[in-house]
């Protein structure tokens, strides 16, 4: 048998490059959130396998000491994180020049990885969870170090291959190929369910990357503020009759969650000039958002929250109130006291409802954590009871005229799984969807995604605020606010972005843009880098976008030709972005809504000012967006058809998009009806 010594000699990158001796266990800093114990149901045989898997990263001289330590982690936390290898203290995305690397990309991705693990950003930084309860950068700290080491030595002729956080190695490619190709949690169809995923994750072979956690593109809750701002603003316009040039002044939005993404809700409602009450059971998250200025006051009781909201509504002033408590208690108070709410949603982590994402009513957040660890079946029982009650409250409020929408967190699916069949359109199962709209189906899809508007984002890798200011101004100069109301909203957003103090972590910005908007801004930034006006820039997006994500209950919920159950578009996004030379391409299972429910393709592009990158921008940026718009057009979505016709005119000779003919409805109806009658 080949010895471990021979293996050590054959490795180019290993943990002993970082640690000469086994490091001391780092101290866990007080007040930093820790992930609850994850489901652990491994058999004895599987437990042995999990230990052997984790020890693959570890040189033999440390096996005796680490094997029992890893077993202890597995039994007490449900996963092996390799805590011992976590760097002491906070991890921050530093200026790019402070990283080691042979390529700009290699250094740039280290900035992004570290930013995703920052105490101010990550949900459970010690467990490498960036957001969304379970979304991890990679599975363990051994992987973290080995990925970083590979990024340091990677040349422009190599590509780093990572599956589910496991750095499989550097492979020869070319400067035109991606520097990093990664995938997360892709399961074989028959095993593509939460239970099998939990086993694979406990074995150390699957990572849940959410979307921008495992794709290293998270920029803090700002990333989602713009989308939330657009969603509630346009919900107000289309459901409350607010004119296109007006905002949410004097209107009340009630919701829950001040976590990773849900934390954006307070800021978004204030920017849209409305009043928001956001229920949150975990006080530490309220503190974080309050200190950041993302909520403006805290209420201890539902009465205090609604009284204070009324005052700000009367004054016509934008204001976000965090209510410390359960959303169900808040809604029950509104129902009992006949309080008027304009817009209602929920952003608890219902995609992981039984893994701690949704807190039962009647117990505190701390009790929920204890119960989850000690008595899972009781916990599940309480979650289900709470979901049923939550649904009843919403039903009453909707009957009174409130507009409720599902916020892409699988809330309606969770209610259905808790035994409420009447939440299904067909009264039986989820196959025909649910009775309340998802925000994409009603708002984001037709108003934004079908035109190609989506969450374009960038990070100024120099870490300099002045670079961000320059890029804000440059991006603004690329937008014509008079073209559509969406452009005007985006223009106002970027004009006020700096004033709104959105940055948490690295100097990053989000700006919804369409295909050519993204391309033009990217070209402008690359030129600025070339001229030395700014340092290198990372471009990306989240997967909550026009293209990239196939998610029947969310991103693609307004695709009505039956193809919403297919994952072809996301796969093309991944392959197409790789073929066109994006710096990083990613394909994930589960982002946003849970394992088996979505496939997400994503990218990162490092702007170094070169002509090579200019060419990649021209071929890859429009593709990345129009991949989604063309698929939406093919599903006969009116706004997407309009966008493709316009695009074919502008880009004729370079791109040709297929556009569907549409038969008269009468023709189909009468034909099929007549056959059915017979
Ligand atoms: N806004 C969007 O556009 C968007 C995009 C992607 C995903 N999501 C979905 O939104 C959900 C939230 O994401 P996140 O990153 O904020 O997750 P998170 O887990 O960081 O935050 C959820 C918060 O809800 C709180 N909470 C749980 N149960 C509660 C209850 N009953 N009452 C009050 N508060 C409660 C938790 O304490 C937590 O702080 C996820 O399911 C995510 O997939 C939303």
């Amino acid at each position: 048998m080949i010895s471990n010594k021979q293996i050590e000699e054959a490795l180019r990158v290993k943990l002993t490059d970082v640690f000469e001796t086994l490091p001391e266990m780092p101290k866990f800093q007080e007040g930093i959130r820790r992930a609850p114990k994850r489901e652990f149901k491994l058999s004895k045989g599987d437990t042995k396998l999990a230990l052997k898997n984790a020890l693959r990263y570890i040189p033999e001289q440390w096996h005796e000491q680490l094997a029992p330590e890893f077993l202890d982690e597995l039994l007490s936390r449900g996963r092996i994180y390799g805590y011992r290898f976590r760097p002491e203290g906070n991890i921050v995305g530093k200026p790019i020049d402070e990283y080691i690397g042979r390529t700009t990309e290699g250094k740039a991705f280290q900035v992004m990885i570290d930013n995703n693990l920052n105490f101010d950003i990550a949900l459970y930084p010690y467990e490498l969870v960036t957001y969304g309860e379970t979304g991890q950068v990679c599975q363990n700290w051994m992987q973290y170090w080995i990925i970083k080491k590979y990024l340091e030595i990677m040349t422009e002729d190599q590509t780093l291959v990572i599956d589910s956080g496991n750095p499989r190695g550097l492979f020869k490619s070319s400067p035109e190929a991606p520097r990093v190709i990664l995938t997360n949690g892709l399961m074989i169809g028959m095993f593509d369910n939460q239970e099998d995923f939990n086993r694979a994750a406990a074995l150390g072979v699957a990572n849940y990357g959410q979307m921008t956690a495992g794709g290293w593109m998270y920029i803090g809750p700002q990333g989602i503020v713009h989308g939330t701002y657009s969603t509630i603003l346009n919900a107000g316009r289309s459901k409350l009759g607010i004119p296109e040039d007006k905002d949410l002044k004097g209107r009340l939005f009630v919701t829950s969650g001040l976590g990773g993404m849900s934390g954006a809700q307070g800021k978004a409602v204030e920017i849209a000039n409305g009043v928001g009450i956001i229920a949150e059971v975990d006080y530490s998250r309220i503190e974080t958002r309050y200190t950041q200025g993302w909520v403006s006051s805290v209420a201890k009781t539902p009465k205090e929250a609604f009284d204070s909201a009324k005052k700000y509504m009367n004054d016509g002033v934008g204001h976000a109130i965090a209510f410390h408590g359960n959303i169900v208690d808040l809604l029950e108070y509104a129902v009992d006291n006949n309080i008027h709410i304009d817009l209602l949603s929920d952003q608890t982590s219902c995609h992981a409802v039984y893994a701690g994402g949704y807190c039962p009513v009647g117990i505190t957040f701390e009790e929920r954590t204890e119960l989850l660890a000690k008595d899972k079946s009781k916990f599940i029982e309480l979650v289900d009871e709470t979901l049923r009650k939550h649904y009843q409250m919403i039903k009453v409020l909707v009957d009174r005229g409130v507009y409720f929408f599902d916020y892409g967190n699988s809330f309606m699916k969770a209610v259905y799984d808790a035994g409420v069949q009447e939440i299904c359109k067909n009264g039986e199962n989820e196959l025909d969807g649910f009775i309340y709209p998802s925000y994409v189906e009603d708002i984001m899809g037709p108003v934004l995604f079908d035109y190609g508007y989506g969450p374009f984002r960038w990070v100024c890798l120099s870490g300099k605020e002045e670079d961000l200011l320059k890029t804000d101004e440059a991006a603004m100069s690329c937008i014509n606010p008079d073209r559509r109301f969406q452009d005007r909203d985006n223009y106002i957003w970027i004009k006020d972005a700096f004033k709104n103090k959105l940055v948490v972590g690295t100097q990053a910005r989000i700006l919804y843009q369409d295909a050519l908007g993204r391309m033009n801004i990217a070209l402008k930034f690359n030129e600025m880098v070339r001229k030395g006006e700014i340092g290198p820039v990372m471009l990306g997006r989240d997967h909550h976008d026009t293209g990239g994500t196939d998610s029947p209950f969310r991103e693609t919920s307004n695709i009505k030709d039956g193809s919403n159950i297919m994952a072809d578009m996301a796969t093309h996004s991944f392959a197409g972005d790789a073929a066109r030379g994006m710096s990083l391409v990613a394909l994930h299972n589960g982002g946003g809504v849970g394992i088996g429910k979505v496939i997400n393709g994503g990218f990162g592009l490092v702007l170094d000012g070169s002509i090579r990158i200019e060419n990649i921008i021209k071929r890859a940026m429009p593709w990345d967006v129009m991949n989604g718009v063309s698929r939406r057009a093919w599903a006969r979505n009116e706004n997407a058809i309009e966008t493709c016709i316009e695009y074919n005119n502008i880009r004729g000779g370079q791109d040709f998009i297929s556009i569907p003919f549409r038969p008269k409805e009468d023709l189909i109806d009468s034909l099929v009806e007549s056959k059915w009658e017979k």
Side-chain angles (χ1 to χ4, degrees), residues 125-139:
Y126 287 108
E127 286 78 24
L128 304 109
V129 173
T130 304
Y131 72 96
E133 188 54 38
T134 49
Q136 288 180 239
V137 168
C138 55
Q139 297 177 67

mmCIF file of all heavy atoms in Angstrom, residues 125-139:
data_model
loop_
_atom_site.group_PDB
_atom_site.id
_atom_site.type_symbol
_atom_site.label_atom_id
_atom_site.label_comp_id
_atom_site.label_asym_id
_atom_site.label_seq_id
_atom_site.Cartn_x
_atom_site.Cartn_y
_atom_site.Cartn_z
ATOM 1 N N PRO A 125 -19.898 32.522 11.785
ATOM 2 C CA PRO A 125 -18.549 32.534 11.188
ATOM 3 C C PRO A 125 -17.686 31.340 11.580
ATOM 4 O O PRO A 125 -16.852 30.903 10.787
ATOM 5 C CB PRO A 125 -17.940 33.838 11.693
ATOM 6 C CG PRO A 125 -18.927 34.485 12.577
ATOM 7 C CD PRO A 125 -20.211 33.731 12.555
ATOM 8 N N TYR A 126 -17.864 30.796 12.796
ATOM 9 C CA TYR A 126 -17.013 29.662 13.193
ATOM 10 C C TYR A 126 -17.350 28.395 12.404
ATOM 11 O O TYR A 126 -16.532 27.497 12.285
ATOM 12 C CB TYR A 126 -17.156 29.380 14.690
ATOM 13 C CG TYR A 126 -16.462 30.429 15.526
ATOM 14 C CD1 TYR A 126 -17.183 31.370 16.256
ATOM 15 C CD2 TYR A 126 -15.075 30.492 15.562
ATOM 16 C CE1 TYR A 126 -16.538 32.342 17.006
ATOM 17 C CE2 TYR A 126 -14.418 31.459 16.306
ATOM 18 C CZ TYR A 126 -15.156 32.380 17.023
ATOM 19 O OH TYR A 126 -14.502 33.342 17.744
ATOM 20 N N GLU A 127 -18.576 28.335 11.898
ATOM 21 C CA GLU A 127 -18.980 27.140 11.138
ATOM 22 C C GLU A 127 -18.956 27.423 9.637
ATOM 23 O O GLU A 127 -19.527 26.662 8.856
ATOM 24 C CB GLU A 127 -20.373 26.682 11.579
ATOM 25 C CG GLU A 127 -20.395 26.000 12.945
ATOM 26 C CD GLU A 127 -20.333 26.998 14.104
ATOM 27 O OE1 GLU A 127 -20.722 28.163 13.898
ATOM 28 O OE2 GLU A 127 -19.881 26.617 15.200
ATOM 29 N N LEU A 128 -18.328 28.507 9.233
ATOM 30 C CA LEU A 128 -18.172 28.925 7.832
ATOM 31 C C LEU A 128 -19.507 29.204 7.148
ATOM 32 O O LEU A 128 -19.611 29.115 5.918
ATOM 33 C CB LEU A 128 -17.377 27.879 7.025
ATOM 34 C CG LEU A 128 -15.997 27.516 7.557
ATOM 35 C CD1 LEU A 128 -15.987 26.107 8.131
ATOM 36 C CD2 LEU A 128 -14.938 27.602 6.458
ATOM 37 N N VAL A 129 -20.538 29.503 7.952
ATOM 38 C CA VAL A 129 -21.856 29.802 7.377
ATOM 39 C C VAL A 129 -21.958 31.305 7.135
ATOM 40 O O VAL A 129 -21.857 32.093 8.074
ATOM 41 C CB VAL A 129 -23.002 29.358 8.315
ATOM 42 C CG1 VAL A 129 -24.348 29.841 7.780
ATOM 43 C CG2 VAL A 129 -23.007 27.847 8.467
ATOM 44 N N THR A 130 -22.171 31.680 5.885
ATOM 45 C CA THR A 130 -22.269 33.099 5.566
ATOM 46 C C THR A 130 -23.689 33.611 5.794
ATOM 47 O O THR A 130 -23.890 34.646 6.419
ATOM 48 C CB THR A 130 -21.841 33.346 4.100
ATOM 49 O OG1 THR A 130 -20.527 32.832 3.935
ATOM 50 C CG2 THR A 130 -21.845 34.821 3.760
ATOM 51 N N TYR A 131 -24.674 32.903 5.275
ATOM 52 C CA TYR A 131 -26.060 33.371 5.440
ATOM 53 C C TYR A 131 -27.032 32.219 5.190
ATOM 54 O O TYR A 131 -26.631 31.121 4.779
ATOM 55 C CB TYR A 131 -26.367 34.558 4.503
ATOM 56 C CG TYR A 131 -26.488 34.156 3.053
ATOM 57 C CD1 TYR A 131 -27.735 33.903 2.475
ATOM 58 C CD2 TYR A 131 -25.365 33.995 2.262
ATOM 59 C CE1 TYR A 131 -27.842 33.510 1.151
ATOM 60 C CE2 TYR A 131 -25.467 33.608 0.944
ATOM 61 C CZ TYR A 131 -26.708 33.367 0.395
ATOM 62 O OH TYR A 131 -26.810 32.970 -0.910
ATOM 63 N N GLY A 132 -28.323 32.529 5.442
ATOM 64 C CA GLY A 132 -29.376 31.573 5.112
ATOM 65 C C GLY A 132 -29.280 30.290 5.919
ATOM 66 O O GLY A 132 -29.476 29.201 5.373
ATOM 67 N N GLU A 133 -28.977 30.417 7.205
ATOM 68 C CA GLU A 133 -28.923 29.324 8.176
ATOM 69 C C GLU A 133 -27.840 28.280 7.880
ATOM 70 O O GLU A 133 -27.092 27.904 8.755
ATOM 71 C CB GLU A 133 -30.302 28.646 8.340
ATOM 72 C CG GLU A 133 -30.398 27.621 9.470
ATOM 73 C CD GLU A 133 -29.967 28.172 10.840
ATOM 74 O OE1 GLU A 133 -30.253 29.341 11.140
ATOM 75 O OE2 GLU A 133 -29.319 27.420 11.589
ATOM 76 N N THR A 134 -27.739 27.832 6.637
ATOM 77 C CA THR A 134 -26.811 26.723 6.387
ATOM 78 C C THR A 134 -25.834 26.969 5.217
ATOM 79 O O THR A 134 -25.106 26.052 4.837
ATOM 80 C CB THR A 134 -27.614 25.427 6.085
ATOM 81 O OG1 THR A 134 -28.609 25.747 5.103
ATOM 82 C CG2 THR A 134 -28.288 24.871 7.309
ATOM 83 N N GLY A 135 -25.844 28.172 4.647
ATOM 84 C CA GLY A 135 -25.027 28.425 3.449
ATOM 85 C C GLY A 135 -23.557 28.645 3.783
ATOM 86 O O GLY A 135 -23.178 29.658 4.363
ATOM 87 N N GLN A 136 -22.707 27.675 3.397
ATOM 88 C CA GLN A 136 -21.294 27.705 3.798
ATOM 89 C C GLN A 136 -20.352 28.051 2.649
ATOM 90 O O GLN A 136 -20.590 27.681 1.498
ATOM 91 C CB GLN A 136 -20.894 26.330 4.346
ATOM 92 C CG GLN A 136 -21.496 26.030 5.701
ATOM 93 C CD GLN A 136 -21.090 24.657 6.229
ATOM 94 O OE1 GLN A 136 -21.952 23.842 6.472
ATOM 95 N NE2 GLN A 136 -19.804 24.401 6.400
ATOM 96 N N VAL A 137 -19.263 28.723 2.994
ATOM 97 C CA VAL A 137 -18.194 29.032 2.031
ATOM 98 C C VAL A 137 -17.562 27.728 1.545
ATOM 99 O O VAL A 137 -17.285 27.545 0.365
ATOM 100 C CB VAL A 137 -17.129 29.922 2.719
ATOM 101 C CG1 VAL A 137 -15.878 30.030 1.888
ATOM 102 C CG2 VAL A 137 -17.712 31.302 3.002
ATOM 103 N N CYS A 138 -17.279 26.848 2.483
ATOM 104 C CA CYS A 138 -16.840 25.481 2.206
ATOM 105 C C CYS A 138 -17.178 24.690 3.466
ATOM 106 O O CYS A 138 -17.741 25.243 4.407
ATOM 107 C CB CYS A 138 -15.347 25.423 1.830
ATOM 108 S SG CYS A 138 -14.256 26.170 3.037
ATOM 109 N N GLN A 139 -16.834 23.423 3.511
ATOM 110 C CA GLN A 139 -17.330 22.624 4.629
ATOM 111 C C GLN A 139 -16.532 22.759 5.918
ATOM 112 O O GLN A 139 -17.091 22.628 6.997
ATOM 113 C CB GLN A 139 -17.313 21.139 4.255
ATOM 114 C CG GLN A 139 -18.215 20.774 3.120
ATOM 115 C CD GLN A 139 -18.053 19.291 2.809
ATOM 116 O OE1 GLN A 139 -18.403 18.433 3.591
ATOM 117 N NE2 GLN A 139 -17.490 18.998 1.664
#
